Amino acid sequence: MEMLNWIQELFGKYGYNVLFFGLLLEFIALPFPGETTMAFAGYLSYTGRLDFMILIIVAFFGTTIGMTITYFIGLKAGMPFIQRYGRWFLFSPAKLEKTQLWFERYGSGLITIGYFIPGVRHFTGYFSGIIALPFRKFALYAYGGALFWVILFLGIGRLFGPQWTAVFHLFEAYAPWIVLAAVLLAAMILVYRFRFSRRPKALRVMGTVKESSKER
């Protein structure tokens, strides 16, 4: 409750700037409760105090700018800089090793799902730059994941209103599994639609072949 009171006071004083600068600083790896703040901001939009679309835009740009800054820090400064000054960004060797292991397991897709993994999302930008991941590829995963992430947590507050805290804690506990299930479901739907859209074409081609063979 103390954290929520603090966040509410910040919104009362600074409005949308809280979300923008808070998320930007979080992705530079400074301590800020980004997910809680977004869910609470969504609740404020439920009450009519804030505009939901503006919240999405502000949160998206705060997140993506923060991620982009960390990418270029990693790209230009490299591993020696992180190893030497990482403690100033709360970037310990253990967290670096954890991020590296996650990258080896999930590849570039970690940039997207990493938003939902505590202790990982803050460092995927740095590590993407360190390994010199092409910026277009980084942006595709980072910006797409950011949009999904901010809409989801803002949406929790917006949709569930006064009950947002219960839903938030439930989602927070199982976030990686929920996201993985959603990704798998989306992949299955895309595969089904792709195969279904190709099937009529194949049938038409077969029908044309049969008709031409009959004419002969």
Side-chain angles (χ1 to χ4, degrees):
M1 288 302 297
E2 290 182 4
M3 180 186 294
L4 290 180
N5 291 334
W6 175 67
I7 294 172
Q8 187 170 11
E9 289 179 10
L10 288 177
F11 273 110
K13 291 180 180 179
Y14 305 109
Y16 297 100
N17 290 325
V18 175
L19 203 57
F20 177 82
F21 289 105
L23 291 174
L24 190 155
L25 292 174
E26 181 185 9
F27 280 89
I28 299 177
L30 297 176
F32 183 80
E35 292 175 341
T36 305
T37 303
M38 285 194 292
F40 184 72
Y43 168 69
L44 292 179
S45 75
Y46 170 87
T47 64
R49 292 172 59 185
L50 296 175
D51 184 90
F52 187 67
M53 290 305 300
I54 295 177
L55 286 173
I56 291 175
I57 294 169
V58 168
F60 175 76
F61 278 104
T63 299
T64 53
I65 291 172
M67 282 285 280
T68 304
I69 289 172
T70 60
Y71 170 83
F72 282 108
I73 290 175
L75 183 66
K76 300 298 182 182
M79 186 68 77
F81 174 85
I82 298 299
Q83 291 174 335
R84 186 171 182 178
Y85 299 105
R87 67 182 185 276
W88 296 103
F89 301 95
L90 305 180
F91 204 162
S92 67
K95 289 179 179 178
L96 178 62
E97 183 179 355
K98 181 180 180 181
T99 305
Q100 185 174 359
L101 291 173
W102 279 91
F103 253 103
E104 291 174 357
R105 181 178 298 179
Y106 295 105
S108 301
L110 176 65
I111 302 170
T112 298
I113 65 173
Y115 284 103
F116 303 91
I117 304 174
V120 171
R121 68 171 172 269
H122 309 96
F123 310 114
T124 53
Y126 288 109
F127 199 79
S128 298
I130 289 171
I131 64 175
L133 188 73
F135 181 75
R136 287 186 180 181
K137 191 171 186 179
F138 165 77
L140 176 65
Y141 287 100
Y143 298 172
L147 185 61
F148 180 53
W149 186 62
V150 302
I151 289 176
L152 184 61
F153 279 96
L154 287 170
I156 287 175
R158 173 74 177 185
L159 292 174
F160 295 97
Q163 286 76 42
W164 74 268
T165 52
V167 178
F168 173 79
H169 291 306
L170 179 65
F171 187 89
E172 194 177 36
Y174 301 100
W177 303 109
I178 295 172
V179 172
L180 182 60
V183 170
L184 290 175
L185 179 62
M188 290 173 63
I189 292 172
L190 288 173
V191 169
Y192 173 79
R193 292 188 64 180
F194 177 76
R195 293 185 64 182
F196 185 79
S197 64
R198 288 178 61 89
R199 190 175 179 183
K201 294 180 181 179
L203 291 174
R204 287 196 297 270
V205 171
M206 290 178 62
T208 304
V209 171
K210 288 181 179 179
E211 289 178 3
S212 60
S213 62
K214 287 180 180 179
E215 291 177 357
R216 292 179 183 177

